[in-house]
Amino acid sequence: MKKMTKIAAVVASLALGVALLAGCSSAGDTATDGNAADNATNPDAPTLTVGFDAAYPPYGFLGDDGNYVGFDLDLAAEVAERNGWNLQLEPIDWDAKDALLNQGTINCIWNGFTMEGREDGYSFSDPYMLNEQVVVVRADSDIKSLEDLAGKNVMTQVDSAALDVLEDEEGQKALADTFAGGAAQTIGDYNNAFMQLESGAVDAVACDLSIADYQMAAKPDMFVKLDPLSTEHYAVGFAKDGDAAMIDAVNKTLKEMYDDGTIAELCEKWGEYGITIDNWVLVD
């Protein structure tokens, strides 16, 4: 939701998360504690080490009580518990995710992670959630359509799916060429991007649908979204030569969680943050 070192990026992300989310994080049970090591109780069991952006609500972020929370963290915790795995959550510098994955520091990225366009670099789980890339503007803006973005300052997160779409010749590069400066501006996390949008420092933010819905739920009179830039899917990303058995277990367990109603319960829990069962796609 990162050009700094890992430690500095995490500290900065957590500070931003606290500043933006204070007073608006009210989800029920937390997925994890702030030490990023939930249930490491069996030294002989496999460990699911999840890399996530700690400033990427509602999928993973720092709650009011200092715990990491989020829809994807809840999914990971339930999958780990059902498989008897230890769970370790690692807030990461998003720019460093590939290096951390390939080094084995983390063994998956579970963080509202778009799979389209990344298939050659990762082994993915089955897609589990439908997503879109959208553009958000202030409600009092004169921008009413994507065409109105010509000459405007549009911001997105560095190394994000939205940026990929805006830089893709077969995507929305022609649109991005019309932005002020001929391209989208980039920033380390979406929390700060929306602060800049609210202040008027930029005219629009391109982001995931769920991020847009989260920000709009927090400030319903402040923001509106335009038509989507693209449609895509979220999946869990593993290293290209990742553990095939673990990937299969993730797929199987998520389907079981859908069948027994757990997914519906988690979607309801995070519904006020823009999560809906209507976008869940991983079923038998």
Side-chain angles (χ1 to χ4, degrees):
M1 185 138 220
K2 294 182 182 177
K3 298 294 185 182
M4 300 175 286
T5 63
K6 180 180 178 183
I7 294 175
V10 170
V11 171
S13 293
L14 297 187
L16 284 169
V18 170
L20 182 66
L21 298 168
C24 67
S25 175
S26 59
D29 296 339
T30 58
T32 159
D33 64 29
N35 295 321
D38 284 316
N39 61 345
T41 58
N42 184 353
D44 297 322
T47 297
L48 181 67
T49 308
V50 176
F52 69 101
D53 179 346
Y56 201 76
Y59 288 90
F61 61 99
L62 190 70
D64 288 347
D65 57 2
N67 295 329
Y68 296 124
V69 297
F71 178 70
D72 275 350
L73 303 190
D74 280 352
L75 292 179
E78 184 69 16
V79 167
E81 181 176 352
R82 293 191 183 203
N83 285 280
W85 299 337
N86 300 317
L87 176 66
Q88 182 170 344
L89 301 178
E90 289 288 343
I92 62 172
D93 175 350
W94 194 243
D95 265 356
K97 63 185 182 300
D98 293 342
L100 295 171
L101 194 61
N102 293 328
Q103 292 165 2
T105 304
I106 58 176
N107 55 22
C108 73
I109 300 167
W110 201 332
N111 191 206
F113 193 44
T114 297
M115 65 182 298
E116 281 84 358
R118 290 172 166 144
E119 294 90 342
D120 292 341
Y122 304 86
S123 292
F124 280 104
S125 72
D126 293 338
Y128 62 89
M129 183 71 80
L130 181 70
N131 184 48
E132 292 176 332
Q133 296 303 321
V134 299
V135 176
V136 179
V137 299
R138 287 173 54 111
D140 60 1
S141 170
D142 61 356
I143 302 171
K144 306 302 180 184
S145 68
L146 295 178
E147 290 75 18
D148 293 339
L149 295 171
K152 303 297 186 181
N153 292 302
V154 181
M155 179 169 281
T156 191
Q157 186 182 38
V158 64
D159 199 27
S160 64
L163 183 61
D164 290 343
V165 170
L166 292 170
E167 291 182 339
D168 187 352
E169 293 283 357
E170 297 181 359
Q172 295 284 1
K173 185 177 185 303
L175 175 66
D177 287 345
T178 71
F179 298 166
Q185 302 175 29
T186 58
I187 197 167
D189 65 84
Y190 279 124
N191 285 341
N192 204 7
F194 275 89
M195 289 179 188
Q196 296 208 33
L197 177 59
E198 183 173 357
S199 72
V202 298
D203 301 301
V205 171
C207 63
D208 293 73
L209 174 63
S210 57
I211 302 301
D213 287 344
Y214 171 81
Q215 297 287 346
M216 292 170 63
K219 297 187 176 181
D221 297 327
M222 178 61 66
F223 305 121
V224 296
K225 63 176 180 277
L226 308 181
D227 291 338
L229 297 168
S230 67
T231 300
E232 59 205 26
H233 298 86
Y234 286 157
V236 186
F238 294 79
K240 191 61 179 175
D241 57 350
D243 187 336
M246 180 171 278
I247 296 171
D248 288 344
V250 168
N251 290 331
K252 179 175 181 290
T253 307
L254 287 175
K255 291 177 183 178
E256 292 172 350
M257 289 165 59
Y258 175 80
D259 289 340
D260 66 23
T262 302
I263 296 301
E265 291 175 2
L266 290 177
C267 288
E268 182 177 0
K269 170 183 173 179
W270 292 100
E272 65 181 295
Y273 297 85
I275 301 294
T276 171
I277 190 66
D278 293 340
N279 290 338
W280 185 267
V281 297
L282 183 53
V283 298
D284 288 330

